[in-house]
Amino acid sequence: MVTLVAACTGEEPEPPDSPSTALRVATVHGDGLDERARARFESEVSDVVARYVEAGFLGGYPRDDFVQGFEDFTSGAAEQAVGDLEVLTAARFENASSVRATDLGAALSFYVVDGEALGATAWIDFAFDVDDGESTTTAALDGRLVLERRNERWSVFAYDVRRDDSDALPVEATTP
Amino acid sequence: MSHALRALRTALQLLPIALVLVVLVPGSAVQPTTLTLTKVTTAEGYDAGSDVVWVLVLGEDSVHDTDAIQLLGIDARTGAAAGIGIPRDSWVDLGGGEMGKINQAYGEDADAERVSEVVRELVGITADYVLATAGDGFVSMVDALGGVTVVSSQAFVTDDRNMQVDKGPNEFTGDEALDFAMTRDAFPDVPGDFVRSENHQALLLGLLKQLQRQDGDRGFVELMALSALEGLDTDASPVDLYRLLNVLTGVDPDQVEGCIVVGREDVDARGNQIIVPDDELAERLGREAAADATFESGCEPR
């Protein structure tokens, strides 16, 4: 079930007032779409991205069902994504007490033919707090998810992302 | 994978870094020094619709002869790509036993099915899509990319514009790239079609790199997909074209190989120069590239 709230702003994503799980979505390229169509496609793509974040990162911990994050991926993309599970989801924190989104932004570029969006790139910029019961660290994911729309349904067919868990993996080195 | 196993693997991955840090951090044993590692990883994946997607790229002249014929295979799982260049004068069965030059298969009717079948007969691979472009469409697409850098295998002067092409990298506008692609008389020592087909592959590699230079710019791939839609005559749907263009952004230029279906020079009944293709080579190139877009045995005829 999708519990994330997608907030469409229409322009560049704005910083949230406070840490929250609201997904902020903005269309940065949508030439050829009228206002109504833009709002509709923005909302549809937002739902896909929100489902990915919810199933891939959030939910109740500990958990091990991270592949559910690829439900809206094409079969070929999902197959490859399973091999990249630790980058594309919070699988490496499966034993955490909780993972909470602190920043969820997505900028959308639409591929528009005859007034209809047939494809879109979602430029994502996500940050999470990971609580292991003793301390809280952060993890981040940015890059792009590329989607196509066939038979009124949006699917992710490509991804190119960068994961930064710098703060989530502290290591102590003690001088002799 | 179990948590314990993953933890062990992570620890082993981090061990060399931690050791380096211990060695490099000077100081006494008085105060422990706590450092934080930077753990950045990347992932990319592309669904091309099949393990290897095959695209037949045609460049038409003003009378609809396809003087550029390249069959491109992309393995989106590995990032490998293979190009099989077919010289335009290749003498083949155009259908029903009618022999002719392969560049006449597409024709004024833009018969993608026919040219695809002719190519399949030669190399054994059925193209998933046929993309054809004529002069203006090609020029506008190259210009939309912002020009192209092409690495030429030799220096020469082009046929139409007397443009000097250097051995090595050359910066071309759309018009210049077209001139480069069309030149064939500048190579008197080898059959012109072979060098020209090689030049077409160099041009395609340059276009690929130019696309990849800008695919991180928001909206760029969408704009290029629209430009391709306008500049190409294709049996690919607009959605397929968008997917294909995105798949190209995932190709690893270091894993791109190009081979030419060479053959024997001859003349037809009217005395026109033709190339009798090396059927064995054509079949082998197709067979080897079919599974993973690589040429296990190289390009040379046996």
Side-chain angles (χ1 to χ4, degrees):
Chain A
M1 186 176 72
V2 176
T3 55
L4 277 175
V5 177
C8 303
T9 63
E11 296 300 331
E12 286 288 347
E14 296 166 3
D17 295 334
S18 61
S20 77
T21 56
L23 173 65
R24 292 166 295 105
V25 176
T27 296
V28 291
H29 291 280
D31 290 352
L33 291 176
D34 60 30
E35 271 307 306
R36 190 173 174 177
R38 188 176 79 163
R40 174 192 158 200
F41 294 125
E42 210 173 65
S43 172
E44 290 175 357
V45 172
S46 298
D47 286 346
V48 172
V49 176
R51 280 195 293 271
Y52 162 63
V53 174
E54 179 72 23
F57 290 86
L58 306 178
Y61 279 79
R63 52 172 291 206
D64 60 4
D65 54 351
F66 297 95
V67 292
Q68 289 184 15
F70 309 140
E71 194 172 317
D72 289 304
F73 284 39
T74 62
S75 58
E79 193 178 319
Q80 294 181 61
V82 169
D84 293 320
L85 192 67
E86 293 207 351
V87 179
L88 287 166
T89 73
R92 62 173 59 139
F93 305 123
E94 62 181 359
N95 291 318
S97 301
S98 70
V99 174
R100 189 173 61 91
T102 56
D103 191 8
L104 298 175
L108 307 182
S109 300
F110 283 105
Y111 168 56
V112 182
V113 178
D114 298 331
E116 291 277 307
L118 301 180
T121 302
W123 298 90
I124 58 172
D125 197 353
F126 299 159
F128 304 93
D129 274 353
V130 180
D131 184 354
D132 65 4
E134 295 179 355
S135 62
T136 301
T137 53
T138 63
L141 182 76
D142 62 58
R144 57 183 166 147
L145 303 175
V146 192
L147 304 93
E148 62 182 18
R149 180 171 153 265
R150 293 179 195 262
N151 302 319
E152 301 289 317
R153 185 172 187 272
W154 287 95
S155 305
V156 175
F157 70 89
Y159 56 86
D160 183 359
V161 296
R162 176 180 170 277
R163 177 76 173 270
D164 185 348
D165 289 355
S166 298
D167 291 338
L169 293 167
V171 164
E172 283 196 356
T174 305
T175 54
Chain B
M1 185 185 299
S2 72
H3 175 64
L5 201 56
R6 181 176 297 114
L8 176 62
R9 196 180 73 174
T10 303
L12 288 173
Q13 286 172 340
L14 300 180
L15 183 61
I17 306 169
L19 287 174
V20 169
L21 291 173
V22 168
V23 170
L24 292 180
V25 175
S28 69
V30 177
Q31 291 292 331
T33 305
T34 300
L35 300 171
T36 301
L37 285 178
T38 296
K39 175 73 173 174
V40 178
T41 45
T42 60
E44 56 182 324
Y46 303 87
D47 180 2
S50 55
D51 290 346
V52 180
V53 63
W54 287 95
V55 183
L56 183 57
V57 179
L58 306 173
E60 291 179 81
D61 68 8
S62 56
V63 293
H64 304 291
D65 287 344
T66 51
D67 287 350
I69 304 171
Q70 297 286 337
L71 182 62
L72 306 179
I74 302 156
D75 187 337
R77 301 164 302 178
T78 62
I84 300 176
I86 303 173
R88 70 158 203 176
D89 288 340
S90 297
W91 191 250
V92 296
D93 184 345
L94 296 173
E98 177 195 351
M99 297 300 289
K101 290 185 179 182
I102 196 169
N103 69 343
Q104 294 164 358
Y106 190 62
E108 198 171 347
D109 297 335
D111 196 338
E113 200 173 322
R114 184 189 195 199
V115 71
S116 188
E117 176 59 20
V118 169
V119 169
R120 190 192 65 77
E121 281 289 326
L122 187 63
V123 298
I125 290 173
T126 302
D128 296 292
Y129 306 111
V130 177
L131 310 180
T133 181
D136 290 346
F138 173 80
V139 168
S140 67
M141 281 189 291
V142 174
D143 287 339
L145 272 172
V148 61
T149 302
V150 180
V151 179
S152 176
S153 63
Q154 56 188 292
F156 63 92
V157 175
T158 59
D159 292 349
D160 286 350
R161 298 162 65 111
N162 290 321
M163 177 179 71
Q164 175 64 49
V165 174
D166 296 329
K167 181 178 180 179
N170 296 266
E171 308 280 342
F172 293 144
T173 63
D175 281 323
E176 291 167 345
L178 182 62
D179 191 22
F180 171 84
M182 291 178 67
T183 295
R184 71 193 299 257
D185 295 333
F187 317 109
D189 299 333
V190 284
D193 265 17
F194 297 164
V195 176
R196 185 153 72 153
S197 197
E198 189 180 289
N199 284 348
H200 294 161
Q201 292 182 343
L203 179 54
L204 288 171
L205 182 58
L207 292 170
L208 175 70
K209 289 181 176 177
Q210 186 70 5
L211 172 71
Q212 293 185 343
R213 254 180 230 123
Q214 298 169 85
D215 65 9
D217 298 345
R218 295 177 180 187
F220 178 76
V221 173
E222 284 71 29
L223 284 174
M224 283 313 304
L226 288 175
S227 176
L229 202 57
E230 290 172 9
L232 293 171
D233 183 8
T234 178
D235 57 357
S237 72
V239 182
D240 290 338
L241 202 57
Y242 181 66
R243 187 191 273 219
L244 191 57
L245 202 61
N246 275 282
V247 166
L248 285 172
T249 68
V251 171
D252 176 1
D254 291 335
Q255 289 193 73
V256 175
E257 295 177 271
C259 291
I260 313 295
V261 178
V262 295
R264 174 174 52 83
E265 283 187 284
D266 205 339
V267 291
D268 66 8
R270 295 177 181 173
N272 297 316
Q273 187 183 44
I274 61 169
I275 298 291
V276 179
D278 182 336
D279 289 336
E280 191 180 329
L281 173 66
E283 186 274 334
R284 178 177 65 77
L285 292 176
R287 176 168 36 80
E288 289 187 353
D292 61 1
T294 64
F295 301 110
E296 189 182 353
S297 309
C299 298
E300 298 303 313
R302 285 176 180 150

